[in-house]
């Protein structure tokens, strides 16, 4: 059979992909708190297999889905009929979008009426099964990588999937019965034939056409095969009743006469407003359950923007549908079945007080800067609420000598200063950054405090923006304010104070290191032991100064990506630090967003008794390699499980904190596939020569010259201007202890913001 071509190769490929994956499946969650119709855990339905990475409906997509999903996962097949009435699994009526058929049959394009609309393409009704033997499946979603398209994955029949994979559950979706009837093909006859085949077990048959399900309902009334009515867009018209799907939803009693369940797009259940924020849930799941109908939610894709309430975390979205306290859908239909499997088995019903399962520190990046403007009160309060272990403050100096928390010394990066009356302060300082900027030490604290913050959206080039409703919310803090907030947060393990540009600032008359030492001492951190203090810098001279004066933990940040570290460099680092921060690419180097392997950087640093933190872990799927399946949890798990890192630096602490507590860790050889990392470089090895991107130069090695620095220069005498520059206010008056006075009302908004946070999240 032509469609069986390449199956044996695909089996070997799947085995290679899963070389480091424990294939002993977990048995799923046995908890009795599920609010599904049956009371059992929801099903995971793999739409076209693992179609988020591999070509939809390919053997490798189906195989990989089974190996990385719950043990009772269901494989979804969109059935199309060939000219000789063979049923193939293919995601669309038009074969052009997900295959190379246009290349194999360049003159095969036709135009047909599909639900009354003229549609051009290559259609299965024009080809016998044997004609499709040389047609290969490709990735049909153009935002996903096409690098795996050269493997010649064949089109599979329904019988192929069932007999070769013997899935625990098999779902046939019939989308265009009326179209096939027009071409003298009977989808009803095919379904009745395939379900009589003793070698094929079909658990579910779905269709958006009422007449089709009614035509087969009598045949399956006493069968274990369940019929499911699929709802399409609310304003779309169902062809056999001529009613909109929204209208049909109001008559679930009628649906119950020919189906035992319904498929609903997720927007039917949890509505979102025009700005993609969640509204209240509808009653549709509870209403359907009252009628005895199972509810399956569809349209789950890890790599398509969803509600901002989920902070780009797909696991959070899946949990909203199965663990919200009011209802649970009976199944989730996803292109990335690993993620809902992990949500159901590892994270559902976890509880806020679940104990940590791994020794992995979660360190914030400018607070929870994925949800609020970085280094604002709201970002820090959100990070604390989300369970961060270490709260960070990158310290900058103001013109009047006040140390503040701000992610960049350049105010243009995090405020609207360029659109303010201070835009005339723009200058160029090549010792600090390329291009021009408005720098913190050119403005007083009172003026900076009144600037409007701007949330960071590092993936805005992909139209992925962070929390736009709150993109300008929050207030900036002085280092004193930050330390007071952190000290009152009993859940924190410690604080991390980041210091950069200290040598340059010293030459300009700003003693950044002394200001940090004074603030920590004033806050009592040099006496208390409840919280650990970490000092981070990419300047060894800064860390050497702190080592001579304190017992704080010292963290050396390696600027840029490295492919390794020379022994002399490591020995030098050990003189002044016990922790090293490196980039993600320094652990798992990438090429065109595919992991090409793993370096020895982490084991070499560990051998030298240096802990390793890695940055920056973000939730946006475009920030992750394809190997992580557009799921931040998979990425974190891979770095912890394979590389053995000691801490993650993240702008979304909630995701990392939840990972620490998931119940699927520490299972040994019973770790399920959805919590086991794929071998680094395994996807890369699947890229054929024709699709292989150009080789990239390896990252440089860290050497001793990169680490060694002269001591910090003494702080130069700074000349105080007699008058403030145009558009700026004068410096605030000093308090008796020499510190600039800070308005007493600063902490009041913090408490108000904290109350607001609990109402918002």
């Amino acid at each position: 059979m032509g469609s069986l071509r390449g199956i044996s190769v695909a089996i070997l490929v799947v085995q290679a992909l899963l070389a480091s994956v424990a294939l002993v499946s977990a048995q799923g969650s046995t908890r009795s708190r599920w609010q599904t119709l049956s009371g059992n855990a929801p099903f995971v339905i793999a739409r076209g297999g693992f179609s988020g990475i591999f070509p939809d409906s390919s053997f490798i997509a189906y195989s990989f889905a089974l190996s990385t999903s719950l043990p009772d996962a269901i494989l979804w097949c969109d059935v199309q009929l060939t000219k000789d009435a063979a049923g193939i699994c293919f995601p669309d009526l038009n074969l052009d979008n997900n295959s190379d058929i246009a290349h194999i049959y360049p003159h095969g394009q036709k135009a047909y009426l599909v639900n009354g609309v003229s549609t051009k393409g290559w259609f299965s009704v024009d080809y016998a099964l044997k004609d499709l033997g040389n047609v290969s499946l490709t990735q049909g979603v153009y935002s996903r990588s096409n690098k795996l398209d050269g493997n010649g994955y064949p089109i599979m029949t329904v019988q192929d999937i069932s007999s070769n994979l013997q899935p625990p559950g098999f779902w046939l979706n019939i989308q265009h019965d009326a179209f096939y009837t027009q071409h003298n093909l009977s989808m009803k006859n095919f379904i009745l034939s395939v379900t009589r085949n003793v070698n094929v077990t079909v658990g579910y048959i779905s269709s958006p056409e009422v007449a089709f399900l009614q035509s087969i309902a009598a045949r399956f009334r006493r069968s274990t095969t369940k019929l499911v009515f699929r709802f399409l867009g609310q304003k779309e018209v169902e062809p056999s009743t001529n009613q909109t799907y929204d209208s049909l939803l109001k008559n679930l009693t009628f649906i119950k006469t020919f189906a035992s369940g319904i498929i609903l797009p997720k927007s039917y259940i949890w509505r979102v407003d025009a700005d993609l924020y969640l509204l209240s849930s509808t009653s549709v799941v509870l209403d359907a359950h009252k009628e005895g109908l199972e509810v399956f939610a569809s349209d789950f894709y890890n790599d398509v923007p969803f509600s901002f309430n989920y902070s780009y975390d797909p696991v959070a979205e899946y949990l909203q549908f199965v663990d919200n306290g009011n209802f649970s859908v009976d199944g989730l239909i996803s292109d990335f079945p690993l993620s809902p499997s992990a949500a159901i088995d590892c994270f559902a019903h976890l509880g806020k007080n679940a104990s940590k399962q791994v020794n992995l520190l979660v360190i914030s990046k400018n607070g929870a800067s994925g949800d609020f403007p970085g280094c604002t009160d709201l970002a820090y309060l959100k990070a604390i609420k989300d369970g961060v272990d270490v709260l960070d403050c990158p310290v900058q100096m103001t013109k009047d000598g006040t140390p503040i928390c701000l992610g960049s010394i350049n105010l243009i990066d995090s405020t609207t200063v360029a659109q303010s009356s201070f835009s005339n302060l723009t200058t160029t300082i090549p010792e600090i950054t390329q291009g021009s900027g408005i720098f913190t030490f050119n403005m007083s604290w009172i003026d900076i405090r009144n600037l409007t913050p701007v949330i960071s959206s590092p993936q805005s080039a992909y139209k992925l923006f962070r929390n736009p409703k709150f993109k300008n919310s929050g207030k900036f803090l002085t280092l004193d304010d930050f330390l007071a907030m952190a000290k009152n947060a009993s859940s924190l393990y410690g604080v991390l104070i980041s210091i950069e540009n200290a040598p340059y600032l010293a030459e300009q008359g700003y003693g950044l290191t002394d200001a940090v030492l004074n603030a920590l001492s004033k806050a009592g951190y040099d006496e208390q032991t409840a919280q650990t203090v970490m000092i981070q810098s990419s300047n060894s001279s800064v860390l050497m100064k702190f080592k001579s004066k304190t017992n704080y933990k010292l963290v050396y940040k390696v600027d840029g990506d490295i492919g390794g570290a020379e022994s002399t460099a490591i020995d030098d680092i050990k003189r002044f630090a016990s922790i090293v921060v490196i980039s993600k690419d320094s652990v798992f180097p990438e090429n065109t967003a595919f992991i090409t392997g793993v370096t020895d950087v982490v084991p070499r640093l560990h051998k030298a008794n240096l802990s390793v933190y890695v940055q920056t872990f973000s939730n946006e799927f475009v920030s992750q390699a394809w190997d992580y399946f557009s799921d931040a949890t998979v990425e974190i798990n891979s770095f912890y499980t394979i590389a053995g890192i000691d801490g993650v630096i993240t702008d979304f602490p909630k995701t990392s904190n939840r990972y620490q507590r998931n119940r699927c860790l520490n299972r040994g050889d019973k770790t399920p596939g959805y919590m086991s990392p794929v071998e680094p470089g395994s996807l890369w090895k699947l890229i054929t020569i024709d699709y292989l991107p150009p080789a990239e130069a390896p990252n440089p090695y860290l050497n001793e010259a990169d680490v060694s620095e002269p001591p910090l220069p003494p702080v130069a005498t700074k000349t105080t201007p007699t008058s403030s520059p145009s558009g700026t206010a004068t410096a605030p008056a000093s308090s008796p202890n020499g510190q600039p006075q800070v308005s007493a009302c600063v902490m009041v908004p913090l408490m108000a913001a904290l109350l607001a946070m609990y109402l918002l999240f």
Side-chain angles (χ1 to χ4, degrees):
M1 212 175 196
S3 61
L4 291 178
R5 173 178 54 84
I7 287 182
S8 59
V9 175
I11 292 174
L12 293 175
V13 166
V14 172
Q15 291 174 341
L17 277 169
L18 297 170
S20 67
V21 176
L23 295 181
V24 180
S25 296
Q27 294 306 306
S29 177
T30 58
R31 286 159 175 73
S32 59
R33 288 181 286 177
W34 293 110
Q35 293 174 298
T36 56
L37 183 63
S38 67
N40 297 323
F43 287 105
V44 170
I45 301 101
R47 198 198 64 80
F50 211 121
S51 54
I53 296 294
F54 303 103
D56 195 305
S57 306
S58 63
F59 186 85
I60 190 171
Y62 284 127
S63 300
F64 198 69
L66 290 179
S67 300
T68 56
S69 303
L70 288 169
D72 57 357
I74 300 169
L75 298 185
W76 169 289
C77 164
D78 287 293
V79 181
Q80 316 298 338
L81 293 181
T82 64
K83 184 166 60 175
D84 50 349
I88 60 172
C89 294
F90 198 89
D92 194 81
L93 192 66
N94 185 350
L95 302 182
D96 182 29
N97 194 38
N98 286 83
S99 78
D100 63 356
I101 193 168
H103 174 72
I104 303 300
Y105 298 106
H107 304 295
Q109 189 180 53
K110 298 285 184 67
Y112 291 122
L113 286 177
V114 180
N115 293 334
V117 178
S118 180
T119 306
K120 289 184 177 181
W122 281 255
F123 297 88
S124 60
V125 295
D126 295 320
Y127 302 91
L129 181 59
K130 65 180 179 59
D131 298 329
L132 300 177
N134 293 323
V135 177
S136 298
L137 295 168
T138 59
Q139 179 56 259
V141 180
Y142 298 144
S143 60
R144 297 171 181 169
S145 176
N146 70 340
K147 297 299 183 185
L148 305 180
D149 285 357
N151 288 284
Y153 301 122
I155 293 176
M156 310 292 295
T157 68
V158 171
Q159 289 87 344
D160 290 339
I161 299 300
S162 182
S163 60
N164 286 281
L165 289 172
Q166 298 180 350
F170 198 21
W171 189 306
L172 303 183
N173 181 57
I174 313 302
Q175 196 82 358
H176 297 286
D177 173 59
F179 172 81
Y180 289 110
T181 300
Q182 294 168 12
H183 291 269
N184 299 316
L185 291 167
S186 174
M187 191 63 80
K188 175 182 177 180
N189 288 344
F190 170 77
I191 287 295
L192 295 179
S193 173
V194 78
T195 53
R196 290 191 191 104
N197 188 334
V198 294
N199 296 318
V200 178
T201 302
V202 178
Y204 295 86
I205 298 171
S206 62
S207 177
E209 298 180 23
V210 170
F212 173 72
L213 291 177
Q214 287 177 326
S215 72
I216 63 173
R219 167 65 178 80
F220 292 99
R221 191 153 285 132
R222 297 182 180 179
S223 169
T224 57
T225 301
K226 296 182 179 181
L227 302 187
V228 181
F229 181 62
R230 183 178 188 181
F231 284 80
L232 302 181
Q234 293 184 358
K235 301 307 178 186
E236 291 187 56
V237 176
E238 194 282 319
S240 56
T241 63
N242 205 32
Q243 295 185 52
T244 63
Y245 286 97
D246 187 42
S247 178
L248 285 169
L249 189 63
K250 297 173 179 145
N251 195 354
L252 293 175
T253 303
F254 168 64
I255 304 298
K256 179 65 176 174
T257 63
F258 58 85
S260 63
I262 56 176
I263 296 174
L264 295 174
K266 62 186 182 184
S267 59
Y268 275 62
I269 301 169
W270 282 100
R271 300 170 298 173
V272 295
D273 63 19
D275 298 318
L276 291 182
Y277 285 90
L278 280 182
L279 300 172
S280 59
S281 64
T282 67
S283 64
V284 63
V285 176
L286 294 174
D287 294 342
H289 283 173
K290 287 179 182 177
E291 291 289 342
L293 291 166
E294 291 183 295
V295 179
F296 301 92
S298 66
D299 296 359
F300 288 98
Y301 318 99
N302 290 8
D303 56 351
V304 174
F306 32 84
S307 171
F308 289 110
N309 296 74
Y310 304 127
S311 300
Y312 290 102
D313 183 349
V315 172
E317 182 182 35
Y318 293 118
L319 289 172
Q320 186 81 356
F321 285 80
V322 300
D323 186 23
N324 57 60
N326 296 317
F327 61 84
S328 170
V329 298
D330 301 279
L332 298 160
I333 302 170
S334 174
D335 289 17
F336 297 83
L338 177 148
S339 298
S341 295
I344 291 167
D345 189 32
C346 307
F347 298 109
H349 310 145
L350 202 56
K352 293 182 178 180
N353 297 321
S355 59
K356 295 181 180 179
Q357 302 297 309
V358 292
N359 186 23
L360 178 71
L361 279 181
V362 177
I363 305 115
S364 67
K365 177 76 170 183
N366 304 331
S369 55
D371 294 305
F372 292 101
C375 297
T376 60
D377 53 350
L378 295 181
Y380 285 130
L381 289 168
K382 182 69 162 60
I384 294 169
K385 182 176 183 294
D386 288 346
V388 74
D389 296 313
V390 179
L391 200 65
D392 77 304
C393 168
V395 182
Q396 315 297 341
M397 291 293 284
T398 67
K399 183 177 181 179
D400 49 342
T402 303
I404 64 173
C405 297
L406 204 63
S408 171
I409 196 172
N410 185 355
L411 290 163
I412 293 176
D413 294 337
S414 55
T415 74
T416 59
V417 67
Q419 290 78 48
S420 73
S421 59
F422 301 103
S423 60
N424 63 320
L425 297 179
T426 302
T427 186
T428 300
I429 305 177
E431 296 93 331
I432 293 180
T433 185
Q434 295 180 347
S436 59
I438 299 175
F439 300 95
T440 58
F441 52 84
N442 287 330
M443 290 181 62
S444 67
W445 161 235
I446 194 170
D447 290 333
I448 293 175
R449 184 181 64 186
N450 291 325
L451 291 175
T452 300
V454 174
I455 198 168
S456 169
S457 289
Q459 306 304 333
S460 58
Y462 298 93
K463 307 299 181 185
L464 300 179
F465 300 96
R466 292 176 170 177
N467 205 6
K469 189 179 289 187
F470 297 94
K471 65 180 180 180
N472 299 122
S473 300
K475 298 293 183 182
F476 295 121
L477 306 179
T478 66
L479 178 57
D480 290 342
D481 295 333
F482 168 84
L483 293 173
M485 177 190 291
K487 201 169 185 182
N488 287 329
S490 59
S491 61
L492 290 179
Y493 168 79
V495 294
L496 183 146
I497 310 299
S498 178
I499 300 174
E500 299 296 339
N501 303 303
Y504 175 84
L505 290 171
E507 293 171 353
Q508 309 307 309
Y510 296 96
L512 180 55
T513 55
D514 290 335
V516 170
L517 284 166
N518 291 338
L520 286 166
S521 177
K522 179 182 173 183
Y525 273 90
D526 53 355
E527 298 175 355
Q528 63 90 42
T529 59
Q531 292 180 347
T532 298
V533 175
M534 302 181 188
I535 305 295
Q536 174 184 297
S537 182
S538 59
N539 296 120
S540 58
S541 56
V542 169
L543 300 180
M544 288 294 288
K545 179 171 182 177
F546 273 88
K547 183 174 182 179
S548 67
K549 294 179 175 290
T550 71
N551 291 319
Y552 301 147
K553 285 190 175 183
L554 304 180
V555 183
Y556 180 65
K557 187 182 78 171
V558 177
D559 278 334
D561 302 326
I562 59 174
E566 296 180 358
S567 298
T568 52
I570 295 175
D571 291 340
D572 202 14
I573 292 172
K574 288 180 63 178
R575 293 190 303 111
F576 54 79
S578 61
I579 303 165
V580 180
V581 171
I582 58 177
S583 68
K584 293 192 297 185
D585 208 64
S586 299
V587 182
F588 297 125
E590 297 179 18
N591 187 338
T592 58
F594 284 90
I595 295 174
T596 57
V598 58
T599 70
D600 66 350
V601 173
V602 175
R604 281 177 56 77
L605 292 173
H606 278 169
K607 188 176 180 180
N609 293 320
L610 292 165
S611 298
V612 181
Y613 300 162
V614 175
Q615 67 174 18
T616 302
F617 289 84
S618 299
N619 283 0
E620 292 96 337
F621 55 90
V622 293
S623 73
Q624 303 148 12
W626 295 110
D627 305 65
Y628 306 130
F629 314 130
S630 301
D631 186 337
T633 299
V634 178
E635 182 180 43
I636 297 164
N637 184 50
S638 297
F639 274 85
Y640 176 75
T641 305
I642 296 177
I645 66 172
D646 304 287
V648 295
I649 299 174
T650 175
D651 32 25
F652 293 93
K654 185 175 184 177
T655 300
S656 296
N657 173 269
R658 189 188 61 217
Y659 167 76
Q660 292 176 311
R661 303 171 188 275
N662 88 78
R663 67 174 70 89
C664 293
L665 298 172
N666 299 324
R667 290 187 183 178
D669 60 1
K670 293 185 178 180
T671 300
Y674 38 86
M675 199 49 65
S676 298
V678 176
E679 181 182 2
S682 56
L683 286 181
W684 176 260
K685 294 173 185 175
L686 292 181
I687 302 176
T688 55
I689 293 177
D690 291 344
Y691 286 84
L692 203 63
E696 294 183 349
N699 291 327
Y701 268 56
L702 187 71
N703 58 47
E704 187 176 7
D706 298 321
V707 178
S708 297
E709 290 180 347
L712 275 176
V715 178
T717 302
K718 181 163 62 72
T719 302
T720 304
T722 56
S723 60
S724 298
S726 175
T728 63
T730 57
S734 295
S735 62
N737 64 5
Q739 296 295 320
Q741 290 180 344
V742 179
S743 173
C745 68
V746 168
M747 295 308 293
V748 176
L750 294 184
M751 295 304 296
L754 181 59
L755 292 173
M757 291 286 294
Y758 278 93
L759 293 174
L760 285 170
F761 295 92

